[in-house]
Structure formats: C-alpha cells, structure tokens
Amino acid sequence: MRHPIDGVKVISILGEDYSIKAPAGEEQTLMDAALMLKAALADTKRKYPTLIGERLLVLAAMNLCSQQIEMKKQHAQELERYQEQVSATVEVIAKTIQQN
C-alpha cells in the first residue's frame, strides 16, 4: 500500500491499484480494511485455487459479509443475555429494598 502526499491511499487488490481517500482520522481503518480484504482473498484463494479476478473477489466479499452477519447475531444474543442478567439483578435489589 503506497501513501501519496495528498492523503489519498493507493491500495493494490488483485493487481489493480485503487486510490481511496479516507475521512480525516479514519486512515488506519482504511488500511486495516485493506489488510482484512487481502487476507480474505488469500484464504479464499487457498480454498478455491481455480478462482481468479472478479469471481475470487466476490466470493471473498460474500464470506466477509457472512462473517459480519454472524458476528451481529452473536452480539445481539450476548446483549440480550446481559440485559437479562441486569434485569434479574435489579429485581433482586428491588425485592431487597422492599423487605427493608
């Protein structure tokens, strides 16, 4: 990944250069996203060595999207569990206060 002076990052994906300007303060996020995509492409290429170009890119992107959806589901489930725990704790505290 090259870093031109004007703040635009040139990212090479599958041999193509893409000039992308991140919002101020988000340059590291852009670089991390590029590294994540490259890792996903490498992983997908290992699993499907005959895929090239656009098909490889689409399958890697679909895999990343699937992972994101799964993480959102897991996060929602964890949040629900935490909310249940907090509610149960509040209920115990309320009962304790009422008894006193």
Side-chain angles (χ1 to χ4, degrees):
M1 195 176 317
R2 295 185 308 238
H3 304 282
I5 298 171
D6 62 1
V8 173
K9 306 295 183 213
V10 178
I11 299 168
S12 181
I13 304 290
L14 296 177
E16 294 288 327
D17 286 346
Y18 299 90
S19 296
I20 304 172
K21 183 170 183 165
E26 295 295 320
E27 295 86 0
Q28 186 62 48
T29 301
L30 173 62
M31 292 176 10
D32 291 345
L35 289 174
M36 181 182 285
L37 179 55
K38 287 180 180 187
L41 284 165
D43 185 52
T44 303
K45 186 67 174 173
R46 275 192 300 277
K47 292 176 183 172
Y48 304 97
T50 59
L51 283 182
I52 58 171
E54 188 175 294
R55 291 184 181 272
L56 176 63
L57 186 58
V58 168
L59 185 56
M62 290 297 294
N63 286 337
L64 284 172
C65 290
S66 295
Q67 290 171 11
Q68 179 68 21
I69 290 168
E70 188 58 36
M71 287 189 327
K72 281 184 176 183
K73 285 180 187 177
Q74 289 175 359
H75 177 71
Q77 290 170 348
E78 289 174 7
L79 186 58
E80 188 176 326
R81 280 196 305 272
Y82 293 141
Q83 288 174 334
E84 288 171 1
Q85 290 173 353
V86 168
S87 294
T89 302
V90 168
E91 196 174 307
V92 168
I93 292 169
K95 285 180 182 176
T96 301
I97 290 172
Q98 288 175 352
Q99 290 174 355
N100 291 333

